[in-house]
Amino acid sequence: MSRLDELKREAQAMQSYLEVNVGGGDANELMDRLDTLGVYYARSGAMHAEVVGLIDSAIAKFMGDNIELLGKISPSLGQKMLKGATAELNGLERWIDRINASCNKQCDNLRTLISYEKQRAQIL
């Protein structure tokens, strides 16, 4: 399995976790989820940085492999060729970036729910 496939598989596992709705759970369940999301938040940040590095490497390789051709065609056509050559990596980069943002938002939401549950427990 290539590194790209490993990153996609890991991103899919995170995506599946993020798509689970956790409504009305007890505070302990919410805190467990918050802990897991904290790990996913950090890991998705590292994955994002890795994919950006892979994109940079792919661009350098593409440029090196096609230097003569790129000198003969228009810059706009060269850009389109480069965009096509890195399309899969760019899609993965955007996906992981959105996973990272979702982890952050869900952590914020969970902290709010935990505070609410604590307040409710004090009232009862």
Side-chain angles (χ1 to χ4, degrees), residues 17 22-40 103 106-119 121:
Y17 187 81
V22 206
D26 68 291
N28 290 330
E29 181 183 335
L30 296 174
M31 288 190 305
D32 288 343
R33 184 167 175 86
L34 182 61
D35 286 343
T36 301
L37 284 170
V39 171
Y40 282 172
C103 287
Q106 284 195 20
C107 284
D108 289 345
N109 291 343
L110 283 169
R111 282 190 285 274
T112 300
L113 289 172
I114 290 167
S115 294
Y116 171 77
E117 290 299 327
K118 285 181 179 179
Q119 280 289 0

PDB file of all heavy atoms in Angstrom, residues 17 22-40 103 106-119 121:
ATOM      1  N   TYR A  17     -15.710   8.833  11.687  1.00  0.00           N
ATOM      2  CA  TYR A  17     -15.894   9.192  13.095  1.00  0.00           C
ATOM      3  C   TYR A  17     -16.581  10.551  13.213  1.00  0.00           C
ATOM      4  O   TYR A  17     -17.481  10.726  14.046  1.00  0.00           O
ATOM      5  CB  TYR A  17     -14.538   9.211  13.815  1.00  0.00           C
ATOM      6  CG  TYR A  17     -14.653   9.396  15.304  1.00  0.00           C
ATOM      7  CD1 TYR A  17     -14.948   8.310  16.128  1.00  0.00           C
ATOM      8  CD2 TYR A  17     -14.469  10.636  15.886  1.00  0.00           C
ATOM      9  CE1 TYR A  17     -15.056   8.470  17.507  1.00  0.00           C
ATOM     10  CE2 TYR A  17     -14.569  10.805  17.259  1.00  0.00           C
ATOM     11  CZ  TYR A  17     -14.861   9.720  18.065  1.00  0.00           C
ATOM     12  OH  TYR A  17     -14.968   9.879  19.429  1.00  0.00           O
ATOM     13  N   VAL A  22     -23.531  12.603  17.998  1.00  0.00           N
ATOM     14  CA  VAL A  22     -23.565  12.234  19.409  1.00  0.00           C
ATOM     15  C   VAL A  22     -24.470  13.226  20.117  1.00  0.00           C
ATOM     16  O   VAL A  22     -24.028  14.267  20.541  1.00  0.00           O
ATOM     17  CB  VAL A  22     -22.170  12.330  20.065  1.00  0.00           C
ATOM     18  CG1 VAL A  22     -22.058  11.413  21.240  1.00  0.00           C
ATOM     19  CG2 VAL A  22     -21.061  12.115  19.094  1.00  0.00           C
ATOM     20  N   GLY A  23     -25.709  12.876  20.213  1.00  0.00           N
ATOM     21  CA  GLY A  23     -26.650  13.771  20.862  1.00  0.00           C
ATOM     22  C   GLY A  23     -27.131  13.199  22.177  1.00  0.00           C
ATOM     23  O   GLY A  23     -27.388  12.014  22.285  1.00  0.00           O
ATOM     24  N   GLY A  24     -27.204  14.060  23.166  1.00  0.00           N
ATOM     25  CA  GLY A  24     -27.807  13.691  24.439  1.00  0.00           C
ATOM     26  C   GLY A  24     -27.078  12.657  25.261  1.00  0.00           C
ATOM     27  O   GLY A  24     -27.660  12.017  26.121  1.00  0.00           O
ATOM     28  N   GLY A  25     -25.787  12.464  25.004  1.00  0.00           N
ATOM     29  CA  GLY A  25     -25.026  11.512  25.808  1.00  0.00           C
ATOM     30  C   GLY A  25     -24.682  12.086  27.171  1.00  0.00           C
ATOM     31  O   GLY A  25     -24.859  13.275  27.429  1.00  0.00           O
ATOM     32  N   ASP A  26     -24.181  11.235  28.037  1.00  0.00           N
ATOM     33  CA  ASP A  26     -23.772  11.750  29.345  1.00  0.00           C
ATOM     34  C   ASP A  26     -22.420  12.454  29.195  1.00  0.00           C
ATOM     35  O   ASP A  26     -21.714  12.296  28.198  1.00  0.00           O
ATOM     36  CB  ASP A  26     -23.717  10.612  30.370  1.00  0.00           C
ATOM     37  CG  ASP A  26     -22.604   9.627  30.089  1.00  0.00           C
ATOM     38  OD1 ASP A  26     -22.686   8.890  29.075  1.00  0.00           O
ATOM     39  OD2 ASP A  26     -21.646   9.604  30.885  1.00  0.00           O
ATOM     40  N   ALA A  27     -22.058  13.220  30.196  1.00  0.00           N
ATOM     41  CA  ALA A  27     -20.850  14.043  30.138  1.00  0.00           C
ATOM     42  C   ALA A  27     -19.592  13.194  29.939  1.00  0.00           C
ATOM     43  O   ALA A  27     -18.671  13.604  29.238  1.00  0.00           O
ATOM     44  CB  ALA A  27     -20.731  14.888  31.394  1.00  0.00           C
ATOM     45  N   ASN A  28     -19.540  12.002  30.526  1.00  0.00           N
ATOM     46  CA  ASN A  28     -18.355  11.152  30.365  1.00  0.00           C
ATOM     47  C   ASN A  28     -18.184  10.701  28.914  1.00  0.00           C
ATOM     48  O   ASN A  28     -17.067  10.679  28.393  1.00  0.00           O
ATOM     49  CB  ASN A  28     -18.430   9.934  31.289  1.00  0.00           C
ATOM     50  CG  ASN A  28     -18.270  10.300  32.740  1.00  0.00           C
ATOM     51  OD1 ASN A  28     -17.585  11.265  33.072  1.00  0.00           O
ATOM     52  ND2 ASN A  28     -18.915   9.558  33.612  1.00  0.00           N
ATOM     53  N   GLU A  29     -19.282  10.345  28.286  1.00  0.00           N
ATOM     54  CA  GLU A  29     -19.226   9.950  26.868  1.00  0.00           C
ATOM     55  C   GLU A  29     -18.768  11.128  26.006  1.00  0.00           C
ATOM     56  O   GLU A  29     -17.957  10.969  25.090  1.00  0.00           O
ATOM     57  CB  GLU A  29     -20.602   9.475  26.414  1.00  0.00           C
ATOM     58  CG  GLU A  29     -20.663   9.023  24.969  1.00  0.00           C
ATOM     59  CD  GLU A  29     -22.067   8.621  24.540  1.00  0.00           C
ATOM     60  OE1 GLU A  29     -22.879   8.227  25.405  1.00  0.00           O
ATOM     61  OE2 GLU A  29     -22.347   8.716  23.334  1.00  0.00           O
ATOM     62  N   LEU A  30     -19.263  12.306  26.323  1.00  0.00           N
ATOM     63  CA  LEU A  30     -18.873  13.503  25.576  1.00  0.00           C
ATOM     64  C   LEU A  30     -17.397  13.819  25.780  1.00  0.00           C
ATOM     65  O   LEU A  30     -16.690  14.193  24.839  1.00  0.00           O
ATOM     66  CB  LEU A  30     -19.735  14.693  25.996  1.00  0.00           C
ATOM     67  CG  LEU A  30     -21.236  14.580  25.698  1.00  0.00           C
ATOM     68  CD1 LEU A  30     -21.986  15.765  26.308  1.00  0.00           C
ATOM     69  CD2 LEU A  30     -21.493  14.473  24.222  1.00  0.00           C
ATOM     70  N   MET A  31     -16.905  13.639  26.997  1.00  0.00           N
ATOM     71  CA  MET A  31     -15.484  13.903  27.273  1.00  0.00           C
ATOM     72  C   MET A  31     -14.591  12.878  26.572  1.00  0.00           C
ATOM     73  O   MET A  31     -13.511  13.227  26.086  1.00  0.00           O
ATOM     74  CB  MET A  31     -15.222  13.940  28.782  1.00  0.00           C
ATOM     75  CG  MET A  31     -15.803  15.191  29.420  1.00  0.00           C
ATOM     76  SD  MET A  31     -15.353  15.516  31.131  1.00  0.00           S
ATOM     77  CE  MET A  31     -15.807  14.025  31.969  1.00  0.00           C
ATOM     78  N   ASP A  32     -15.032  11.625  26.499  1.00  0.00           N
ATOM     79  CA  ASP A  32     -14.268  10.618  25.746  1.00  0.00           C
ATOM     80  C   ASP A  32     -14.177  11.004  24.280  1.00  0.00           C
ATOM     81  O   ASP A  32     -13.118  10.890  23.656  1.00  0.00           O
ATOM     82  CB  ASP A  32     -14.908   9.232  25.885  1.00  0.00           C
ATOM     83  CG  ASP A  32     -14.721   8.621  27.261  1.00  0.00           C
ATOM     84  OD1 ASP A  32     -13.838   9.097  28.017  1.00  0.00           O
ATOM     85  OD2 ASP A  32     -15.459   7.660  27.573  1.00  0.00           O
ATOM     86  N   ARG A  33     -15.279  11.449  23.733  1.00  0.00           N
ATOM     87  CA  ARG A  33     -15.276  11.869  22.321  1.00  0.00           C
ATOM     88  C   ARG A  33     -14.382  13.092  22.138  1.00  0.00           C
ATOM     89  O   ARG A  33     -13.647  13.182  21.151  1.00  0.00           O
ATOM     90  CB  ARG A  33     -16.695  12.162  21.838  1.00  0.00           C
ATOM     91  CG  ARG A  33     -16.737  12.505  20.350  1.00  0.00           C
ATOM     92  CD  ARG A  33     -18.145  12.489  19.805  1.00  0.00           C
ATOM     93  NE  ARG A  33     -18.195  12.923  18.424  1.00  0.00           N
ATOM     94  CZ  ARG A  33     -18.016  12.135  17.368  1.00  0.00           C
ATOM     95  NH1 ARG A  33     -17.791  10.854  17.541  1.00  0.00           N
ATOM     96  NH2 ARG A  33     -18.078  12.613  16.145  1.00  0.00           N
ATOM     97  N   LEU A  34     -14.425  14.006  23.062  1.00  0.00           N
ATOM     98  CA  LEU A  34     -13.567  15.188  22.993  1.00  0.00           C
ATOM     99  C   LEU A  34     -12.094  14.791  22.997  1.00  0.00           C
ATOM    100  O   LEU A  34     -11.289  15.339  22.238  1.00  0.00           O
ATOM    101  CB  LEU A  34     -13.882  16.130  24.160  1.00  0.00           C
ATOM    102  CG  LEU A  34     -13.118  17.451  24.219  1.00  0.00           C
ATOM    103  CD1 LEU A  34     -13.396  18.291  22.980  1.00  0.00           C
ATOM    104  CD2 LEU A  34     -13.502  18.211  25.488  1.00  0.00           C
ATOM    105  N   ASP A  35     -11.735  13.822  23.839  1.00  0.00           N
ATOM    106  CA  ASP A  35     -10.355  13.325  23.859  1.00  0.00           C
ATOM    107  C   ASP A  35      -9.954  12.736  22.511  1.00  0.00           C
ATOM    108  O   ASP A  35      -8.874  13.018  21.998  1.00  0.00           O
ATOM    109  CB  ASP A  35     -10.173  12.267  24.949  1.00  0.00           C
ATOM    110  CG  ASP A  35     -10.129  12.844  26.347  1.00  0.00           C
ATOM    111  OD1 ASP A  35      -9.914  14.062  26.491  1.00  0.00           O
ATOM    112  OD2 ASP A  35     -10.308  12.066  27.305  1.00  0.00           O
ATOM    113  N   THR A  36     -10.817  11.921  21.935  1.00  0.00           N
ATOM    114  CA  THR A  36     -10.525  11.305  20.643  1.00  0.00           C
ATOM    115  C   THR A  36     -10.402  12.366  19.551  1.00  0.00           C
ATOM    116  O   THR A  36      -9.484  12.316  18.727  1.00  0.00           O
ATOM    117  CB  THR A  36     -11.616  10.282  20.268  1.00  0.00           C
ATOM    118  OG1 THR A  36     -11.673   9.280  21.281  1.00  0.00           O
ATOM    119  CG2 THR A  36     -11.333   9.633  18.925  1.00  0.00           C
ATOM    120  N   LEU A  37     -11.296  13.331  19.568  1.00  0.00           N
ATOM    121  CA  LEU A  37     -11.233  14.396  18.569  1.00  0.00           C
ATOM    122  C   LEU A  37      -9.964  15.237  18.710  1.00  0.00           C
ATOM    123  O   LEU A  37      -9.414  15.704  17.714  1.00  0.00           O
ATOM    124  CB  LEU A  37     -12.465  15.296  18.659  1.00  0.00           C
ATOM    125  CG  LEU A  37     -13.740  14.709  18.079  1.00  0.00           C
ATOM    126  CD1 LEU A  37     -14.940  15.581  18.436  1.00  0.00           C
ATOM    127  CD2 LEU A  37     -13.631  14.545  16.579  1.00  0.00           C
ATOM    128  N   GLY A  38      -9.497  15.403  19.924  1.00  0.00           N
ATOM    129  CA  GLY A  38      -8.234  16.121  20.137  1.00  0.00           C
ATOM    130  C   GLY A  38      -7.075  15.411  19.459  1.00  0.00           C
ATOM    131  O   GLY A  38      -6.209  16.043  18.837  1.00  0.00           O
ATOM    132  N   VAL A  39      -7.067  14.088  19.554  1.00  0.00           N
ATOM    133  CA  VAL A  39      -6.030  13.298  18.891  1.00  0.00           C
ATOM    134  C   VAL A  39      -6.176  13.419  17.374  1.00  0.00           C
ATOM    135  O   VAL A  39      -5.196  13.617  16.648  1.00  0.00           O
ATOM    136  CB  VAL A  39      -6.097  11.822  19.335  1.00  0.00           C
ATOM    137  CG1 VAL A  39      -5.175  10.954  18.503  1.00  0.00           C
ATOM    138  CG2 VAL A  39      -5.766  11.701  20.816  1.00  0.00           C
ATOM    139  N   TYR A  40      -7.407  13.308  16.877  1.00  0.00           N
ATOM    140  CA  TYR A  40      -7.639  13.424  15.435  1.00  0.00           C
ATOM    141  C   TYR A  40      -7.271  14.820  14.929  1.00  0.00           C
ATOM    142  O   TYR A  40      -6.778  14.969  13.813  1.00  0.00           O
ATOM    143  CB  TYR A  40      -9.097  13.114  15.085  1.00  0.00           C
ATOM    144  CG  TYR A  40      -9.439  11.647  15.054  1.00  0.00           C
ATOM    145  CD1 TYR A  40     -10.756  11.236  14.924  1.00  0.00           C
ATOM    146  CD2 TYR A  40      -8.470  10.661  15.146  1.00  0.00           C
ATOM    147  CE1 TYR A  40     -11.088   9.886  14.875  1.00  0.00           C
ATOM    148  CE2 TYR A  40      -8.795   9.318  15.099  1.00  0.00           C
ATOM    149  CZ  TYR A  40     -10.106   8.939  14.961  1.00  0.00           C
ATOM    150  OH  TYR A  40     -10.425   7.613  14.913  1.00  0.00           O
ATOM    151  N   CYS A 103     -12.770  18.769  13.139  1.00  0.00           N
ATOM    152  CA  CYS A 103     -12.358  18.350  14.485  1.00  0.00           C
ATOM    153  C   CYS A 103     -12.387  19.543  15.433  1.00  0.00           C
ATOM    154  O   CYS A 103     -12.891  19.444  16.555  1.00  0.00           O
ATOM    155  CB  CYS A 103     -10.950  17.751  14.458  1.00  0.00           C
ATOM    156  SG  CYS A 103     -10.831  16.113  13.715  1.00  0.00           S
ATOM    157  N   GLN A 106     -16.056  20.499  16.141  1.00  0.00           N
ATOM    158  CA  GLN A 106     -16.723  19.526  17.008  1.00  0.00           C
ATOM    159  C   GLN A 106     -16.189  19.599  18.436  1.00  0.00           C
ATOM    160  O   GLN A 106     -16.945  19.423  19.394  1.00  0.00           O
ATOM    161  CB  GLN A 106     -16.591  18.113  16.441  1.00  0.00           C
ATOM    162  CG  GLN A 106     -17.520  17.885  15.267  1.00  0.00           C
ATOM    163  CD  GLN A 106     -17.687  16.413  14.921  1.00  0.00           C
ATOM    164  OE1 GLN A 106     -17.421  15.526  15.722  1.00  0.00           O
ATOM    165  NE2 GLN A 106     -18.156  16.169  13.703  1.00  0.00           N
ATOM    166  N   CYS A 107     -14.888  19.877  18.595  1.00  0.00           N
ATOM    167  CA  CYS A 107     -14.336  20.042  19.945  1.00  0.00           C
ATOM    168  C   CYS A 107     -15.009  21.225  20.646  1.00  0.00           C
ATOM    169  O   CYS A 107     -15.385  21.123  21.821  1.00  0.00           O
ATOM    170  CB  CYS A 107     -12.824  20.250  19.898  1.00  0.00           C
ATOM    171  SG  CYS A 107     -11.875  18.756  19.572  1.00  0.00           S
ATOM    172  N   ASP A 108     -15.168  22.325  19.924  1.00  0.00           N
ATOM    173  CA  ASP A 108     -15.851  23.496  20.491  1.00  0.00           C
ATOM    174  C   ASP A 108     -17.282  23.142  20.897  1.00  0.00           C
ATOM    175  O   ASP A 108     -17.735  23.493  21.989  1.00  0.00           O
ATOM    176  CB  ASP A 108     -15.885  24.647  19.482  1.00  0.00           C
ATOM    177  CG  ASP A 108     -14.531  25.274  19.247  1.00  0.00           C
ATOM    178  OD1 ASP A 108     -13.599  25.033  20.047  1.00  0.00           O
ATOM    179  OD2 ASP A 108     -14.393  26.013  18.246  1.00  0.00           O
ATOM    180  N   ASN A 109     -17.992  22.446  20.021  1.00  0.00           N
ATOM    181  CA  ASN A 109     -19.369  22.060  20.319  1.00  0.00           C
ATOM    182  C   ASN A 109     -19.438  21.128  21.530  1.00  0.00           C
ATOM    183  O   ASN A 109     -20.334  21.264  22.376  1.00  0.00           O
ATOM    184  CB  ASN A 109     -20.013  21.384  19.108  1.00  0.00           C
ATOM    185  CG  ASN A 109     -20.247  22.340  17.969  1.00  0.00           C
ATOM    186  OD1 ASN A 109     -20.230  23.553  18.134  1.00  0.00           O
ATOM    187  ND2 ASN A 109     -20.453  21.798  16.783  1.00  0.00           N
ATOM    188  N   LEU A 110     -18.521  20.192  21.602  1.00  0.00           N
ATOM    189  CA  LEU A 110     -18.527  19.252  22.733  1.00  0.00           C
ATOM    190  C   LEU A 110     -18.242  19.961  24.049  1.00  0.00           C
ATOM    191  O   LEU A 110     -18.853  19.635  25.074  1.00  0.00           O
ATOM    192  CB  LEU A 110     -17.517  18.124  22.500  1.00  0.00           C
ATOM    193  CG  LEU A 110     -17.974  17.059  21.518  1.00  0.00           C
ATOM    194  CD1 LEU A 110     -16.818  16.137  21.159  1.00  0.00           C
ATOM    195  CD2 LEU A 110     -19.133  16.254  22.083  1.00  0.00           C
ATOM    196  N   ARG A 111     -17.335  20.918  24.048  1.00  0.00           N
ATOM    197  CA  ARG A 111     -17.073  21.671  25.281  1.00  0.00           C
ATOM    198  C   ARG A 111     -18.333  22.389  25.744  1.00  0.00           C
ATOM    199  O   ARG A 111     -18.637  22.433  26.940  1.00  0.00           O
ATOM    200  CB  ARG A 111     -15.914  22.641  25.076  1.00  0.00           C
ATOM    201  CG  ARG A 111     -14.556  21.973  25.124  1.00  0.00           C
ATOM    202  CD  ARG A 111     -13.432  22.989  25.156  1.00  0.00           C
ATOM    203  NE  ARG A 111     -13.214  23.617  23.869  1.00  0.00           N
ATOM    204  CZ  ARG A 111     -12.446  23.122  22.912  1.00  0.00           C
ATOM    205  NH1 ARG A 111     -11.820  21.993  23.112  1.00  0.00           N
ATOM    206  NH2 ARG A 111     -12.288  23.767  21.780  1.00  0.00           N
ATOM    207  N   THR A 112     -19.098  22.906  24.805  1.00  0.00           N
ATOM    208  CA  THR A 112     -20.365  23.565  25.138  1.00  0.00           C
ATOM    209  C   THR A 112     -21.348  22.553  25.732  1.00  0.00           C
ATOM    210  O   THR A 112     -21.997  22.826  26.753  1.00  0.00           O
ATOM    211  CB  THR A 112     -20.965  24.234  23.887  1.00  0.00           C
ATOM    212  OG1 THR A 112     -20.042  25.201  23.403  1.00  0.00           O
ATOM    213  CG2 THR A 112     -22.289  24.895  24.204  1.00  0.00           C
ATOM    214  N   LEU A 113     -21.467  21.388  25.095  1.00  0.00           N
ATOM    215  CA  LEU A 113     -22.378  20.357  25.605  1.00  0.00           C
ATOM    216  C   LEU A 113     -21.956  19.851  26.984  1.00  0.00           C
ATOM    217  O   LEU A 113     -22.812  19.607  27.846  1.00  0.00           O
ATOM    218  CB  LEU A 113     -22.447  19.185  24.622  1.00  0.00           C
ATOM    219  CG  LEU A 113     -23.179  19.446  23.312  1.00  0.00           C
ATOM    220  CD1 LEU A 113     -22.995  18.273  22.359  1.00  0.00           C
ATOM    221  CD2 LEU A 113     -24.656  19.713  23.563  1.00  0.00           C
ATOM    222  N   ILE A 114     -20.671  19.701  27.195  1.00  0.00           N
ATOM    223  CA  ILE A 114     -20.174  19.240  28.499  1.00  0.00           C
ATOM    224  C   ILE A 114     -20.505  20.270  29.572  1.00  0.00           C
ATOM    225  O   ILE A 114     -20.963  19.916  30.670  1.00  0.00           O
ATOM    226  CB  ILE A 114     -18.665  18.940  28.434  1.00  0.00           C
ATOM    227  CG1 ILE A 114     -18.417  17.692  27.585  1.00  0.00           C
ATOM    228  CG2 ILE A 114     -18.080  18.767  29.834  1.00  0.00           C
ATOM    229  CD1 ILE A 114     -16.964  17.479  27.182  1.00  0.00           C
ATOM    230  N   SER A 115     -20.305  21.540  29.261  1.00  0.00           N
ATOM    231  CA  SER A 115     -20.645  22.597  30.220  1.00  0.00           C
ATOM    232  C   SER A 115     -22.132  22.582  30.538  1.00  0.00           C
ATOM    233  O   SER A 115     -22.541  22.725  31.703  1.00  0.00           O
ATOM    234  CB  SER A 115     -20.257  23.972  29.662  1.00  0.00           C
ATOM    235  OG  SER A 115     -18.878  24.078  29.548  1.00  0.00           O
ATOM    236  N   TYR A 116     -22.945  22.383  29.509  1.00  0.00           N
ATOM    237  CA  TYR A 116     -24.386  22.311  29.706  1.00  0.00           C
ATOM    238  C   TYR A 116     -24.749  21.135  30.610  1.00  0.00           C
ATOM    239  O   TYR A 116     -25.560  21.284  31.533  1.00  0.00           O
ATOM    240  CB  TYR A 116     -25.086  22.176  28.342  1.00  0.00           C
ATOM    241  CG  TYR A 116     -26.562  21.887  28.466  1.00  0.00           C
ATOM    242  CD1 TYR A 116     -27.469  22.898  28.786  1.00  0.00           C
ATOM    243  CD2 TYR A 116     -27.044  20.599  28.270  1.00  0.00           C
ATOM    244  CE1 TYR A 116     -28.817  22.626  28.898  1.00  0.00           C
ATOM    245  CE2 TYR A 116     -28.394  20.319  28.381  1.00  0.00           C
ATOM    246  CZ  TYR A 116     -29.274  21.328  28.697  1.00  0.00           C
ATOM    247  OH  TYR A 116     -30.612  21.065  28.820  1.00  0.00           O
ATOM    248  N   GLU A 117     -24.171  19.978  30.347  1.00  0.00           N
ATOM    249  CA  GLU A 117     -24.460  18.793  31.165  1.00  0.00           C
ATOM    250  C   GLU A 117     -24.024  18.997  32.612  1.00  0.00           C
ATOM    251  O   GLU A 117     -24.709  18.564  33.548  1.00  0.00           O
ATOM    252  CB  GLU A 117     -23.797  17.550  30.569  1.00  0.00           C
ATOM    253  CG  GLU A 117     -24.414  17.066  29.277  1.00  0.00           C
ATOM    254  CD  GLU A 117     -25.872  16.660  29.420  1.00  0.00           C
ATOM    255  OE1 GLU A 117     -26.275  16.153  30.495  1.00  0.00           O
ATOM    256  OE2 GLU A 117     -26.628  16.855  28.455  1.00  0.00           O
ATOM    257  N   LYS A 118     -22.918  19.651  32.827  1.00  0.00           N
ATOM    258  CA  LYS A 118     -22.450  19.930  34.187  1.00  0.00           C
ATOM    259  C   LYS A 118     -23.422  20.871  34.911  1.00  0.00           C
ATOM    260  O   LYS A 118     -23.747  20.661  36.084  1.00  0.00           O
ATOM    261  CB  LYS A 118     -21.047  20.536  34.174  1.00  0.00           C
ATOM    262  CG  LYS A 118     -19.960  19.516  33.867  1.00  0.00           C
ATOM    263  CD  LYS A 118     -18.598  20.183  33.886  1.00  0.00           C
ATOM    264  CE  LYS A 118     -17.506  19.191  33.607  1.00  0.00           C
ATOM    265  NZ  LYS A 118     -16.168  19.837  33.592  1.00  0.00           N
ATOM    266  N   GLN A 119     -23.873  21.887  34.199  1.00  0.00           N
ATOM    267  CA  GLN A 119     -24.836  22.829  34.801  1.00  0.00           C
ATOM    268  C   GLN A 119     -26.141  22.125  35.119  1.00  0.00           C
ATOM    269  O   GLN A 119     -26.721  22.336  36.182  1.00  0.00           O
ATOM    270  CB  GLN A 119     -25.114  23.988  33.822  1.00  0.00           C
ATOM    271  CG  GLN A 119     -24.073  25.041  33.792  1.00  0.00           C
ATOM    272  CD  GLN A 119     -24.063  25.877  35.066  1.00  0.00           C
ATOM    273  OE1 GLN A 119     -24.838  25.687  35.997  1.00  0.00           O
ATOM    274  NE2 GLN A 119     -23.145  26.826  35.109  1.00  0.00           N
ATOM    275  N   ALA A 121     -26.554  18.983  35.779  1.00  0.00           N
ATOM    276  CA  ALA A 121     -26.335  18.064  36.904  1.00  0.00           C
ATOM    277  C   ALA A 121     -26.365  18.823  38.241  1.00  0.00           C
ATOM    278  O   ALA A 121     -26.843  18.306  39.243  1.00  0.00           O
ATOM    279  CB  ALA A 121     -25.013  17.327  36.751  1.00  0.00           C
TER     280      ALA A 121
END
